[in-house]
Amino acid sequence: MMLQYFENLESGINNAIKENPESASARKRYTIEIARLGKRLYSDTDRKAWAGALVPFDLLNTMGVTSCYAEFMASVLVSTDIGMELLENAEQTGYASDTCGYHRAIIGAAHKCLMPIPEFLISTTSPCTGGQAVLENLARLFKRDLFVIHIPQDESDQSVNFLADQIEDMVEFVANHTGSPLDKNKQCKAIENTNKAREVMSDVYNLAKQVPSPANGRDLSNFGIVMPLFFGTEAAVEIAQFYRDEFKSRINANNSGVPGESLRLMWLQNRIQFKNTLVKMLESEYKAAIVIDELNDITWDPIDPNDPYVGLARRSISSPLHGTAKRRIKHIIELAEAYRIDGAINPCHWGCRQGTGARGLIDSSMKEIGVPVLNLEVDCVDRRNFAEGQLITRIEAFMEMIESHPSPWKK
Amino acid sequence: MEDKSKLIGFTCAYTPLALIDAAGFVPYRILPMGDWPDQAGQILHENLCPHIKRILDRAMQDDIPDLSGIVFMNSCDAMRRLSDAWQKVRPNDNTVLIDLPISKDDRSVSFFADELNRFAERLSQWGGDDIRPEGVENSIGRYNELAIHLNELKKRVNLGTLKDGSTRLQAIYNKAVTEPIENVLELIKQIAGEPDVIADNALPIYIFGNVLPDPEVFTLFESCGARIVGEDLCTGSRMINVIEIENNDKSLDGFKGLARATLSRPACARTIDPSNPGKMIHDVVEKAKASNARGVIGHIIKFCDPYLARLPSVREALKKEGLSFLLLEGDCTMRSIGQHKTRIEAFIEMLR
Ligand code: SF4
Ligand code: SF4
């Protein structure tokens, strides 16, 4: 069923582009790549692994392992017709509805045989304890080997080296399962691709900073968290280049992502993964553009292609999904300033302790720099309790408030 | 350091108490107790575990004794967020967040030893004595002595021969993590001299879970006809265990042995053995069987991901072994457990 889904997704977009070449967009190219990844995951031919979100996918791609973090598949599954059934299934088997919806969807899918059985699993302690537990559960269910990576809290040399050593061990673990060691030439090429993608993504983000921004509220949704799945491949570079070209041409043509952009917003952590009208409403009613998602940023330096482990370790530790709230808030404030935002929306995804647990601290720090935050109470994955009407009312009140609130950036 | 009453706050059963002791401090566990208004949810989020929220509520109400410093172990998302929020609520406190590896392979042991070294430095900055390997060894010995005495008491509770059984034992556990070790040893020695009481015909029950510090809760279990014959709670027997330093580690720097021993303690649900996924589930079943319990009670506080994620498999594994299971979800308060009284009674009745 899911194989069919991804095949239809790819062919549907390709046909649409064939019929109307003008409709080809960076977002479509990106979605095609996602469909291809999905196809590979559900094929019988590829070697597969489920992994934690902060695993260096560059290395897995280089070693011929089609891999993905399980939450990504959850976000795809909940956007299909059977999404809510999967959540219900997990709950019926005793998975508390208070846990993160991504994880419930994964467990439900695994019980319904909708998660491909991997050759092995690699979990990471970050971003969340729940994710760690879910991969352990899957390893037990699928009776497959599990490799665990502990991502330390800080960027001290001691922590970086600990993680770099674990990544090296991971490579050995993978090689033991695939029977082929990591080819150093391929590794170099892959890291060069990663560095290129990094550079172009950085250009994309810089273009999105422009006022008005060439980005609309959908262009880059989930981008920063999904792109790492393609790191190490040429596809990652190409996708980033499509975005860069598209944003440049919009700027050259004086087209902003949201025509008549009047307010600029930041979206914190998770997007809502099922269909809803909130972003559209923000754009049409208030000319408000989501110009930056918290996870859309380059937080790491280029990686040495010949000696990548330390660089890869630094990259994982630098993720905005990881570390102390203090560090997270510093990053959010830097983004707020760089993108000159008028307000931020924090969906406070129900079930996410690591993300929502910093809600109050983010709120008060943003207040200090004059940027209001709207804290919603949403389960970004579970639409069963999605009270769209109430959310719209809250968003309307917030937008009216920021419309009358002096922007901290216009002196 | 002269003043032995100086306290170091801690909040997780993985905290290396011997290190705190070796620096001349008294470890003080900030237990999630007291009936304070719920305010922590405003800073954190309502969906964080009540263990963390109650501790923060205590901090917000200033219901914490003077502490020379506080150590948070990076055990789970909630604990990390508590460490963040603490700095906001009590900005003048000395705090440190110590990374706690998820497993106990050699790399993790070395890394954790470095973390313990960092902790030792902090303790000394906070006014503690210089920590020397002999001092750590001595403190491990003191805590081992305490653990052995506590185990003896636990055996009497299991047999039903200790007056006031598990209620009293829980009060002693709480004392053992909030007061100088000498006070507790003295008390335990007095109790050791008490004659055994005659065991009643209460039903043997094994209990596991996370946080359940209120001694009255155990009175409630007993009043429902249960005798706790085995327990694995992070505010119970999991707090203080005998630590054995492997010979290989003795010749190395002092913290490697302590690091390995700490990571090898009876594990809670947040710790993973990659070579045996789901080991925690297996452990619950084995310990329950070894205790000869007739039924198992799981007490899990809300929003605790490490436990919530493993519960369905625990339930299934217990069922396979023919062990009846009652799950209680609570919020660390007597009030929340009290609401389950009828269910506990019915569970015990069913097993008779
Ligand atoms: S939303 Fe939070 S709890 Fe859920 S997968 Fe993401 S980081 Fe983990
Ligand atoms: S392990 Fe569970 S009970 Fe303990 S702090 Fe973490 S979430 Fe709370």
Side-chain angles (χ1 to χ4, degrees):
Chain A
M1 177 215 148
M2 287 309 288
L3 180 62
Q4 186 73 51
Y5 171 86
F6 286 115
E7 280 172 354
N8 292 347
L9 183 63
E10 184 186 13
S11 61
I13 300 174
N14 276 331
N15 290 341
I17 294 177
K18 214 188 259 167
E19 272 171 32
N20 176 12
E22 295 281 289
S23 74
S25 66
R27 186 76 190 174
K28 284 196 172 119
R29 312 271 185 191
Y30 161 88
T31 310
I32 288 174
E33 212 43 53
I34 288 176
R36 288 183 185 150
L37 172 64
K39 270 169 54 184
R40 292 198 302 275
L41 282 167
Y42 283 88
S43 76
D44 290 333
T45 49
D46 281 39
R47 289 179 184 287
K48 287 166 281 218
W50 291 116
L54 298 184
V55 156
F57 290 99
D58 340 41
L59 297 178
L60 292 172
N61 287 331
T62 312
M63 296 180 84
V65 179
T66 297
S67 53
C68 176
Y69 52 91
E71 291 84 356
F72 165 79
M73 196 47 69
S75 66
V76 176
L77 287 162
V78 294
S79 64
T80 68
D81 293 343
I82 53 151
M84 298 309 106
E85 214 180 289
L86 301 180
L87 296 171
E88 275 158 23
N89 178 286
E91 288 155 20
Q92 278 155 13
T93 56
Y95 230 81
S97 56
D98 287 328
T99 53
C100 171
Y102 290 94
H103 300 144
R104 272 178 288 138
I106 293 163
I107 293 295
H111 287 155
K112 292 252 175 195
C113 303
L114 285 172
M115 290 289 276
I117 298 180
E119 288 203 19
F120 53 84
L121 301 95
I122 302 175
S123 71
T124 47
T125 50
S126 236
C128 56
T129 316
Q132 175 82 40
V134 157
L135 283 195
E136 192 199 20
N137 280 341
L138 291 185
R140 187 165 176 268
L141 185 72
F142 294 140
K143 299 192 173 46
R144 290 292 189 263
D145 287 349
L146 173 70
F147 187 87
V148 172
I149 298 182
H150 180 98
I151 302 188
Q153 278 301 288
D154 62 25
E155 285 172 277
S156 64
D157 287 347
Q158 170 209 329
S159 294
V160 170
N161 291 334
F162 173 47
L163 181 52
D165 288 345
Q166 292 178 80
I167 294 174
E168 197 168 349
D169 291 347
M170 178 199 87
V171 167
E172 201 184 316
F173 169 87
V174 175
N176 287 340
H177 284 78
T178 60
S180 331
L182 175 63
D183 177 324
K184 292 287 167 190
N185 290 330
K186 283 190 187 167
Q187 170 202 293
C188 273
K189 180 76 196 119
I191 300 297
E192 277 163 19
N193 280 338
T194 295
N195 286 339
K196 258 190 235 158
R198 176 195 171 279
E199 199 183 312
V200 185
M201 284 168 74
S202 174
D203 291 344
V204 172
Y205 295 144
N206 280 329
L207 291 167
K209 282 176 195 159
Q210 298 226 0
V211 182
S213 175
N216 66 38
R218 288 170 305 280
D219 285 323
L220 294 173
S221 84
N222 292 332
F223 184 73
I225 182 77
V226 171
M227 278 298 276
L229 294 174
F230 308 124
F231 279 171
T233 69
E234 281 168 12
V237 183
E238 281 165 17
I239 295 168
Q241 281 167 343
F242 282 129
Y243 271 102
R244 183 173 64 185
D245 295 347
E246 189 164 310
F247 282 6
K248 270 189 185 165
S249 65
R250 283 188 199 169
I251 290 169
N252 290 340
N254 277 330
N255 287 337
S256 53
V258 174
E261 173 192 296
S262 75
L263 290 170
R264 296 164 68 85
L265 300 175
M266 182 194 298
W267 193 277
L268 294 174
Q269 197 168 326
N270 298 46
R271 283 297 187 102
I272 298 170
Q273 303 295 343
F274 48 86
K275 275 204 186 96
N276 67 87
T277 59
L278 301 186
V279 174
K280 206 165 160 216
M281 185 272 273
L282 285 168
E283 294 182 351
S284 58
E285 308 275 314
Y286 297 96
K287 306 270 175 262
I290 297 169
V291 291
I292 171 69
D293 284 66
E294 182 190 355
L295 304 180
N296 287 354
D297 196 17
I298 303 295
T299 53
W300 70 96
D301 291 331
I303 295 161
D304 181 351
N306 292 304
D307 182 17
Y309 300 132
V310 165
L312 292 169
R314 287 196 186 281
R315 185 180 70 190
S316 293
I317 295 175
S318 78
S319 166
L321 280 170
H322 177 68
T324 61
K326 199 170 180 181
R327 205 188 67 164
R328 182 178 175 200
I329 290 166
K330 182 170 173 278
H331 179 242
I332 292 173
I333 288 176
E334 281 164 8
L335 290 178
E337 200 168 349
Y339 283 81
R340 301 169 72 82
I341 62 157
D342 299 291
I345 298 183
N346 187 357
C348 301
H349 170 59
W350 183 256
C352 178
R353 328 293 171 205
Q354 78 84 15
T356 61
R359 174 185 68 174
L361 301 179
I362 294 173
D363 214 9
S364 58
S365 302
M366 291 288 265
K367 248 185 216 129
E368 280 168 24
I369 62 159
V371 177
V373 181
L374 173 65
N375 290 315
L376 299 175
E377 297 299 335
V378 187
D379 189 317
C380 294
V381 169
D382 187 347
R383 62 170 168 258
R384 288 171 301 177
N385 297 320
F386 187 64
E388 196 160 19
Q390 281 172 30
L391 292 172
I392 287 176
T393 310
R394 292 210 49 218
I395 290 176
E396 281 170 350
F398 179 70
M399 296 310 291
E400 276 152 30
M401 187 267 284
I402 59 173
E403 272 176 334
S404 59
H405 183 272
S407 163
W409 319 114
K410 288 174 201 149
K411 293 270 150 68
Chain B
M1 197 185 74
E2 284 304 301
D3 184 3
K4 283 281 183 187
S5 68
K6 280 192 173 176
L7 303 176
I8 294 293
F10 73 101
T11 56
C12 169
Y14 274 99
T15 309
L17 304 186
L19 207 53
I20 298 175
D21 185 69
F25 288 110
V26 174
Y28 176 85
R29 180 154 180 171
I30 307 168
L31 291 163
M33 293 173 78
D35 209 3
W36 300 111
D38 298 340
Q39 285 182 300
Q42 299 298 316
I43 293 193
L44 300 159
H45 188 279
E46 293 309 332
N47 77 15
L48 262 78
C49 80
H51 177 209
I52 294 313
K53 286 190 293 188
R54 294 198 159 266
I55 291 175
L56 193 63
D57 279 332
R58 279 188 67 179
M60 292 170 86
Q61 294 298 328
D62 230 358
D63 175 36
I64 308 269
D66 282 344
L67 301 172
S68 299
I70 304 160
V71 53
F72 298 100
M73 302 304 286
N74 184 13
S75 51
C76 64
D77 296 338
M79 201 55 94
R80 212 160 33 242
R81 295 293 84 92
L82 174 65
S83 152
D84 295 326
W86 197 280
Q87 292 165 49
K88 175 87 182 167
V89 169
R90 291 171 60 115
N92 299 324
D93 283 355
N94 292 320
T95 61
V96 67
L97 175 68
I98 296 296
D99 229 326
L100 180 68
I102 195 91
S103 52
K104 55 173 185 182
D105 53 277
D106 284 347
R107 285 205 197 289
S108 298
V109 168
S110 297
F111 172 73
F112 190 47
D114 288 343
E115 282 295 277
L116 294 185
N117 198 23
R118 189 163 68 86
F119 182 34
E121 281 167 18
R122 283 299 176 90
L123 287 169
S124 132
Q125 284 164 14
W126 297 342
D129 299 335
D130 271 354
I131 298 179
R132 298 177 192 287
E134 319 81 72
V136 177
E137 221 173 306
N138 181 34
S139 294
I140 290 174
R142 278 151 58 77
Y143 270 96
N144 281 354
E145 189 192 345
L146 178 60
I148 291 165
H149 283 295
L150 287 169
N151 277 342
E152 289 305 314
L153 280 189
K154 198 177 168 193
K155 278 185 203 151
R156 288 175 69 191
V157 172
N158 297 352
L159 293 169
T161 57
L162 180 76
K163 186 171 173 287
D164 296 330
S166 53
T167 305
R168 199 159 172 213
L169 181 60
Q170 185 57 46
I172 296 167
Y173 280 140
N174 292 354
K175 203 173 166 67
V177 289
T178 51
E179 291 186 22
I181 204 165
E182 295 73 20
N183 298 4
V184 190
L185 281 172
E186 198 179 312
L187 174 69
I188 294 178
K189 281 175 190 162
Q190 272 172 28
I191 296 173
E194 289 176 9
D196 282 350
V197 295
I198 296 168
D200 56 18
N201 69 342
L203 195 96
I205 289 290
Y206 178 78
I207 180 162
F208 77 94
N210 40 31
V211 190
L212 199 52
D214 191 336
E216 266 190 64
V217 170
F218 294 88
T219 313
L220 177 83
F221 287 138
E222 284 168 4
S223 74
C224 294
R227 183 193 317 142
I228 308 297
V229 292
E231 160 270 317
D232 185 30
L233 293 164
C234 96
T235 43
S237 62
R238 223 188 292 129
M239 282 193 292
I240 294 173
N241 325 96
V242 174
I243 280 184
E244 280 167 31
I245 305 286
E246 290 181 15
N247 276 338
N248 296 351
D249 290 331
K250 278 190 179 156
S251 56
L252 302 167
D253 75 279
F255 299 130
K256 196 145 181 191
L258 183 59
R260 193 183 305 278
T262 306
L263 295 178
S264 306
R265 304 164 57 124
C268 76
R270 60 78 60 188
T271 298
I272 290 180
D273 178 353
S275 65
N276 187 3
K279 181 170 181 296
M280 174 261 173
I281 297 150
H282 175 80
D283 287 351
V284 170
V285 174
E286 288 310 308
K287 286 182 187 168
K289 275 166 56 184
S291 71
N292 290 322
R294 296 271 306 282
V296 177
I297 293 182
H299 175 267
I300 311 297
I301 55 171
K302 277 173 86 72
F303 309 125
C304 170
D305 287 331
Y307 277 91
L308 291 179
R310 273 92 183 184
L311 270 183
S313 305
V314 169
R315 186 189 290 278
E316 200 185 291
L318 288 170
K319 196 171 167 194
K320 248 189 213 154
E321 293 294 331
L323 279 164
S324 299
F325 177 51
L326 174 69
L327 173 64
L328 304 176
E329 199 181 56
D331 65 2
C332 308
T333 64
M334 184 57 208
R335 202 172 44 230
S336 72
I337 287 292
Q339 288 167 356
H340 294 301
K341 187 166 191 272
T342 320
R343 287 181 63 217
I344 302 167
E345 280 168 347
F347 181 67
I348 306 288
E349 212 39 55
M350 175 195 84
L351 292 173
R352 280 204 188 276

